[in-house]
C-alpha cells in the first residue's frame, strides 16, 4: 500500500516546534528514513527534524506515519520495502521533491529465537526479505537521487542500521544472525562498488536497544517474553541513543566516513553476555 503525496501530508502544524527550526535548511538537505513508524526510525526522524533536515519517513503503517508527520512536520510515505512496486512508487514520489542527501536504511526485524534445527524456514525467508533484499531494493532505487544531491564539497550518505548480530553469532539467533551478517557484508560490498564517488557508505550496529516493538515482534506478541529480555538490565540503550549516533554520523564533515559504529550498553559485553543487576567496581 502506498499513500499518494497529497494524502500523506507535508503537514507542518503551527504547534510543531521542530518544523520551524527545520525551515531554513530543509530545501538543501533531505533524508529518507525507512522503518520510520516506531523505534529507532521514528526517533531518527524526530532528531533529524530538530537538526533542520527535511525528512521523508517511510513505513507500512499509515496511521503511525501520519501521527509522526503531525508531530514533526516530516514528509511521510507508506511503503513496504519488500514490495518492489511500493519501492518504485517511493522513488517516483521522491523525484517530485528533488534530490535527497541521505538514506537511512533502518527497516528490519527479528522473528523467533529458535535453533537452526528447529526454526521455521518461512521466518528465515521473511527476515532475509526485509533485512537484506529490502535494503537492496531501496538502495538501488534511490541511488540516482542521492547522486543528484551531491554538489561540490559535499557527499551523499547511505547509512544502514544492522546489528551486533551481524558481526557476532549467538545461540538462538538463527535466521536473524544470518540475515544481519548478510546485510553487513552487502554494506561492505556497496562501499567497494561506490569507491570513487562522493557517497559515504556507513553502518551502525546496535546491541541491546529497549524499544516497544522489537522483542515483542520477535516473540510473536508475547509481552512477558519481550519484557524478560530487558529485565533487570541496568540502562539498556534506547531508540534515542541510536538516533543521536546516526545524526552525528550524517553530520560529520563530508570527507569523514565512519565505516562501522558498534554501539552497546555498558551492561552488554556481547550478544550472549548481558549483565543483570547493578554494575559495580571490583
Amino acid at each position: 500500500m502506498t499513500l499518494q503525496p497529497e494524502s500523506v501530508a507535508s503537514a507542518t502544524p503551527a504547534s510543531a516546534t521542530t518544523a520551524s527550526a527545520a525551515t531554513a535548511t530543509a530545501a538543501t538537505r533531505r533524508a529518507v528514513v525507512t522503518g520510520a513508524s516506531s523505534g529507532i526510525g521514528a526517533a531518527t526522524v524526530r532528531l533529524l527534524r530538530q537538526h533542520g533536515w527535511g525528512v521523508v519517513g517511510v513505513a507500512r503503517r499509515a496511521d503511525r506515519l501520519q501521527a509522526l508527520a503531525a508531530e514533526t512536520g516530516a514528509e511521510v510515505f507508506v511503503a513496504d520495502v519488500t514490495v518492489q512496486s511500493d519501492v518504485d512508487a517511493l522513488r517516483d514520489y521522491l523525484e517530485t521533491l528533488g534530490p535527497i542527501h541521505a538514506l537511512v536504511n533502518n527497516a528490519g526485524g527479528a522473528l523467533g529465537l529458535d535453533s537452526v534445527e528447529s526454526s521455521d524456514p518461512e521466518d528465515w525467508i521473511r527476515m532475509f526479505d526485509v533485512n537484506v533484499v529490502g535494503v537492496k531494493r531501496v538502495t538501488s532505487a534511490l541511488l540516482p537521487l542521492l547522486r543528484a544531491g551531491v554538489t561540490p564539497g559535499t557527499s551523499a550518505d547511505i547509512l544502514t542500521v544492522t546489528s551486533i548480530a551481524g558481526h557476532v553469532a549467538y545461540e538462538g539467533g538463527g535466521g536473524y544472525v544470518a540475515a544481519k551478517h548478510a546485510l553487513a557484508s552487502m554494506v561492505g560490498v556497496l562501499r567497494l562498488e561506490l569507491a570513487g564517488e562522493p557517497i559515504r557508505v556507513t553502518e551502525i550496529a546496535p546491541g541491546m536497544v529497549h524499544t516497544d516493538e522489537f522483542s515483542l515482534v520477535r516473540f510473536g506478541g508475547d509481552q512477558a517474553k519481550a519484557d524478560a529480555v530487558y529485565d533487570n538490565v541496568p540502562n539498556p540503550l534506547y531508540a534515542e541513543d541510536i538516533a543521536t549516533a546516526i545524526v552525528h554520523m550524517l553530520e560529520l564533515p563530508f570527507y569523514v566516513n565512519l565505516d562501522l559504529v558498534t554501539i552497546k550498553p555498558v551492561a552488554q559485553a556481547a550478544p550472549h553476555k548481558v549483565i543483570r543487576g547493578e554494575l559495580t567496581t571490583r
Side-chain angles (χ1 to χ4, degrees):
M1 172 187 177
T2 55
L3 274 180
Q4 295 306 311
E6 60 268 20
S7 302
V8 254
S10 38
T12 312
S15 59
T17 57
T18 57
S20 59
T23 302
T25 57
T28 56
R29 303 180 84 189
R30 181 178 294 111
V32 176
V33 180
T34 67
S37 61
S38 65
I40 293 170
T44 300
V45 170
R46 292 186 183 102
L47 190 57
L48 283 169
R49 289 294 289 153
Q50 291 170 14
H51 280 232
W53 287 71
V55 183
V56 180
V58 180
R60 294 174 300 164
R61 293 177 288 187
D63 56 339
R64 295 228 177 175
L65 285 180
Q66 290 182 332
L68 187 64
E71 174 193 346
T72 66
E75 306 276 349
V76 295
F77 194 89
V78 174
D80 184 337
V81 300
T82 69
V83 178
Q84 188 62 50
S85 59
D86 279 15
V87 174
D88 292 342
L90 170 64
R91 177 203 59 214
D92 294 345
Y93 168 58
L94 292 171
E95 285 179 342
T96 70
L97 299 181
I100 60 175
H101 306 89
L103 167 61
V104 179
N105 285 311
N106 170 70
L111 296 171
L113 199 61
D114 298 322
S115 69
V116 172
E117 179 182 11
S118 62
S119 55
D120 186 344
E122 290 302 316
D123 286 344
W124 286 55
I125 291 169
R126 289 166 63 195
M127 284 187 281
F128 267 79
D129 205 9
V130 67
N131 289 292
V132 185
V133 184
V135 172
K136 179 268 186 291
R137 290 181 192 276
V138 175
T139 301
S140 294
L142 301 193
L143 253 171
L145 298 179
L146 287 163
R147 289 185 174 109
V150 176
T151 57
T154 70
S155 60
D157 284 275
I158 301 172
L159 187 155
T160 301
V161 180
T162 62
S163 169
I164 58 172
H167 298 273
V168 181
Y170 61 88
E171 291 176 280
Y176 183 65
V177 167
K180 288 300 188 182
H181 268 74
L183 179 57
S185 295
M186 187 176 75
V187 170
V189 171
L190 182 65
R191 187 180 300 115
L192 292 171
E193 291 175 345
L194 295 182
E197 296 191 56
I199 300 175
R200 301 188 295 190
V201 179
T202 57
E203 174 188 354
I204 184 166
M208 177 179 283
V209 183
H210 191 174
T211 63
D212 292 338
E213 296 189 322
F214 179 83
S215 291
L216 191 63
V217 171
R218 183 170 211 168
F219 293 115
D222 188 323
Q223 190 67 60
K225 284 186 177 180
D227 291 343
V229 172
Y230 312 104
D231 184 47
N232 205 27
V233 176
N235 301 308
L237 298 179
Y238 294 93
E240 291 75 15
D241 298 315
I242 310 305
T244 297
I246 288 172
V247 174
H248 172 70
M249 293 166 74
L250 294 177
E251 293 187 340
L252 284 169
F254 72 94
Y255 54 86
V256 178
N257 196 98
L258 295 184
D259 284 12
L260 170 62
V261 172
T262 303
I263 179 168
K264 306 190 303 290
V266 176
Q268 184 179 38
H272 54 279
K273 188 174 182 64
V274 177
I275 304 303
R276 299 182 188 275
E278 183 180 1
L279 302 179
T280 60
T281 56
R282 295 192 176 97

